[in-house]
Amino acid sequence: MSKLQTFLESLHQKYQPLKSGKLASYIPQLTKANPDWFAIAIVTADGRVFEVGNSTENFTIQSISKVFVYGMALEDCGREALLEKVGVEPTGDPFDSVIRLDENSKRPDNPMVNAGAIATTSLIKGNEPGDRLNRMLEMFRNYINRDVFIDVSVFVSEKATGHRNRALANLLLNFGIIEHNVEEILDLYFQQCSLVVNCQDLAMMAATLANRGIHPFTKQQVIKPDYVRDIISVMYTCGMYNYAGEWAYRVGIPAKSGVSGGIIGVIPERAGIAVFSPLIDERGNSIRGLKVFEDLSQEFGLHLLDLSMGKCNFSDCLESK
Ligand code: DON
């Protein structure tokens, strides 16, 4: 067994007994998750897979979708046109904050908070809502490398209770940031959040970003390499919401979390990491996920600044002992 696999198993044992945090309940369907679910998966840029726990358990991707839809909007609109609608400033505010839109431009601060994600989703090209959804599913299919589907009960649950997102979308319409039918845009946003994934899928998606946009198995260029740097930058500064600063300090891995309990991390040129455990803290981040990433970063020197100072010992841990 490799040192990495042994370490993942020890992390799983160490943090399985941790029961703090709550299931997300503002989307009623998410309370059906099992609080004991816990998985860690790592896929290397050259396609080696390491996993432990419930790594094939299905759940909805939630906010982690924002990373990949941002990539799609970059390809659809280009960097400058997208920047006119959505900024790249961290907010230090909760993910669903209604308060901040840039005072002058009225842009949402960044594509990882809900306001920015809704604006980003509105820029996905396609004549009909069905065309836009199909293009989005195709994009996710390319990252995941199998057929993908939407959890309709979660989608309906979000659509029925998403009044705060509806308020944000109407505010964006008022300021001319989004231009067409609010309900169609919200549907697509709720659909992207309701995409069904497992922890292994998330690690594969993160590994594709780590591998300059080339899927480690299929070798398909899933996203233009030029845009991978943009995506990873925004993950680094904004991916963990009002924990982004402390995360950059303690963990130092470009990452994105979702309220269903997933966190992905990208180690450029090396690997994608995913943790899934649905007990989250008040900021919406998986509590076991935070712990696992902190330990992994510490153990293998995965903090971006450790990488750049040559302190990373990740490659050594992949081979069998
Ligand atoms: O907008 C929402 O409320 C959800 N569909 C996504 C929220 C989410 O995952 C935020 N992340 N922590």
Side-chain angles (χ1 to χ4, degrees):
M1 198 188 279
S2 64
K3 185 174 173 208
L4 179 58
Q5 185 64 36
T6 310
F7 191 66
L8 293 187
E9 287 175 19
S10 71
L11 284 179
H12 195 267
Q13 267 190 353
K14 179 176 173 189
Y15 292 121
Q16 181 74 68
L18 185 63
K19 306 277 184 202
S20 45
K22 291 200 171 97
L23 297 173
S25 58
Y26 75 100
I27 303 170
Q29 280 292 317
L30 296 188
T31 58
K32 306 221 159 119
N34 179 344
D36 290 332
W37 283 336
F38 180 27
I40 312 169
I42 296 184
V43 176
T44 61
D46 60 4
R48 281 174 281 180
V49 179
F50 301 83
E51 56 194 321
V52 61
N54 311 97
S55 59
T56 54
E57 188 64 55
N58 283 343
F59 56 96
T60 54
I61 188 169
Q62 294 301 331
S63 280
I64 297 174
S65 63
K66 292 168 181 170
V67 168
F68 302 95
V69 175
Y70 184 58
M72 193 175 175
L74 279 165
E75 288 196 326
D76 275 3
C77 306
R79 187 178 289 135
E80 296 311 317
L82 184 50
L83 275 173
E84 279 176 25
K85 300 284 186 187
V86 185
V88 287
E89 278 314 317
T91 60
D93 289 336
F95 66 86
D96 57 354
S97 174
V98 185
I99 303 140
R100 278 174 63 119
L101 290 178
D102 185 280
E103 285 203 356
N104 300 318
S105 66
K106 304 298 178 197
R107 288 180 315 178
D109 289 288
N110 70 67
M112 301 292 123
V113 290
N114 287 8
I118 293 167
T120 303
T121 299
S122 79
L123 296 169
I124 297 307
K125 296 219 182 317
N127 291 332
E128 301 288 329
D131 297 338
R132 294 190 277 275
L133 175 61
N134 283 335
R135 288 193 63 237
M136 197 182 266
L137 291 176
E138 178 67 21
M139 176 274 291
F140 283 121
R141 198 174 292 127
N142 291 337
Y143 277 101
I144 293 175
N145 188 29
R146 64 170 166 76
D147 211 4
V148 293
F149 59 96
I150 282 170
D151 184 324
V152 177
S153 63
V154 173
F155 165 66
V156 171
S157 187
E158 279 214 57
K159 188 172 160 70
T161 56
H163 310 307
R164 204 175 168 93
N165 283 326
R166 201 158 276 114
L168 283 174
N170 279 296
L171 211 54
L172 293 170
L173 182 69
N174 177 61
F175 288 126
I177 296 292
I178 63 177
E179 281 161 20
H180 56 102
N181 191 305
V182 165
E183 283 306 317
E184 280 178 13
I185 294 165
L186 283 170
D187 276 356
L188 190 58
Y189 172 70
F190 295 140
Q191 282 157 344
Q192 76 180 59
C193 292
S194 307
L195 182 87
V196 175
V197 291
N198 61 41
C199 190
Q200 206 183 88
D201 295 332
L202 289 182
M204 192 68 75
M205 296 166 86
T208 303
L209 294 178
N211 196 31
R212 305 179 193 202
I214 299 172
H215 191 285
F217 285 7
T218 65
K219 308 295 178 203
Q220 182 185 353
Q221 186 81 56
V222 173
I223 167 94
K224 289 200 179 100
D226 269 4
Y227 293 133
V228 172
R229 195 191 69 177
D230 298 345
I231 298 169
I232 296 178
S233 303
V234 174
M235 289 173 77
Y236 195 59
T237 52
C238 312
M240 301 300 282
Y241 308 118
N242 39 343
Y243 190 65
E246 196 165 334
W247 174 271
Y249 184 88
R250 285 182 186 277
V251 180
I253 296 175
K256 182 75 197 81
S257 63
V259 286
S260 51
I263 303 181
I264 61 167
V266 175
I267 318 293
E269 304 292 298
R270 289 172 176 81
I273 304 177
V275 182
F276 166 56
S277 164
L279 291 174
I280 57 172
D281 64 14
E282 65 289 348
R283 296 172 169 119
N285 297 325
S286 165
I287 292 185
R288 290 187 184 112
L290 296 177
K291 294 283 183 199
V292 167
F293 267 96
E294 215 173 290
D295 286 14
L296 278 169
S297 176
Q298 186 69 31
E299 179 72 14
F300 299 118
L302 299 179
H303 192 295
L304 277 193
L305 297 179
D306 283 338
L307 295 184
S308 67
M309 290 190 278
K311 289 190 189 161
C312 171
N313 59 348
F314 183 68
S315 310
D316 308 342
C317 72
L318 299 175
E319 307 307 328
S320 294
K321 285 188 285 191

